[in-house]
């Protein structure tokens, strides 16, 4: 595991502690964005700012695409571009449902090289690094040998832009 990846894991876990420690959300802490049921809380912004500032310390040339800011997709072509969803599952977070996570990906020159999803409530850290496999915490993950007809498959879609995305 590279030094950058080790630093990213620590940064994401530290941000997860902020999320897990937030137990009550007041109405004043929540605002709506474009789309249906598309919310942002003060914690989305706080966690995103924490992630961006700490990543910038670890990777000074870091560029960002992040959910709670204006973005320019051309930054994906940079050496170190990070894509951040500070609280993936904001509606769950608002209702203290405790089924939310932090999602982060790192791209290098347009290619995904690292991805992580951290659930601070269950302490589950999913990560994958190009060429090194996927892990849950520190245990390697592998694809099941079951046939698709015997598999459990789940997927979700974005509820925010139903009028334009529902058919897709």
């Amino acid at each position: 595991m590279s030094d950058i990846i080790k630093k990213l894991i620590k940064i994401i876990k530290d941000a997860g502690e902020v999320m897990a420690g937030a137990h009550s959300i007041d109405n004043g802490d929540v605002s709506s964005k474009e789309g249906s049921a598309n919310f942002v809380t003060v914690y989305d912004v706080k966690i995103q700012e924490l992630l961006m500032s700490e990543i910038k310390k670890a990777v000074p040339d870091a560029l960002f695409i992040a959910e709670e800011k204006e973005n320019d997709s051309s930054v994906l072509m940079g050496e170190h571009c990070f894509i951040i969803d500070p609280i993936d599952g904001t509606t769950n977070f608002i209702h203290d449902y405790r089924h939310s996570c932090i999602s982060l990906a790192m791209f290098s020159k347009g290619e995904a090289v690292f991805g992580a999803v951290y659930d601070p409530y269950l302490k589950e850290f999913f990560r994958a690094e190009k060429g090194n496999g996927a892990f849950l915490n520190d245990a390697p993950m592998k694809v099941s040998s079951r046939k698709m007809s015997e598999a459990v498959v789940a997927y979700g879609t974005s509820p925010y832009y139903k009028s334009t995305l529902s058919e897709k």
Side-chain angles (χ1 to χ4, degrees), residues 41-116:
T41 71
V42 295
Y43 287 98
D44 289 270
V45 175
K46 181 178 183 173
I47 291 168
Q48 179 170 294
E49 288 173 354
L50 171 68
L51 289 166
M52 289 173 65
S53 70
E54 292 301 311
I55 290 170
K56 197 75 169 162
K57 289 177 192 173
V59 184
D61 67 340
L63 301 168
F64 299 96
I65 294 176
E67 186 172 18
E68 309 311 334
K69 73 176 204 64
E70 292 294 320
N71 293 295
D72 174 3
S73 63
S74 70
V75 301
L76 276 174
M77 299 312 293
E79 184 69 31
H80 298 105
C81 178
F82 296 89
I83 301 174
I84 299 171
D85 188 343
I87 300 180
D88 199 349
T90 300
T91 301
N92 290 343
F93 178 77
I94 291 167
H95 295 285
D96 201 24
Y97 180 58
R98 299 185 164 267
H99 192 68
S100 304
C101 59
I102 295 172
S103 298
L104 181 132
M106 181 172 73
F107 277 65
S108 181
K109 298 177 183 167
E111 182 176 36
V113 294
F114 173 77

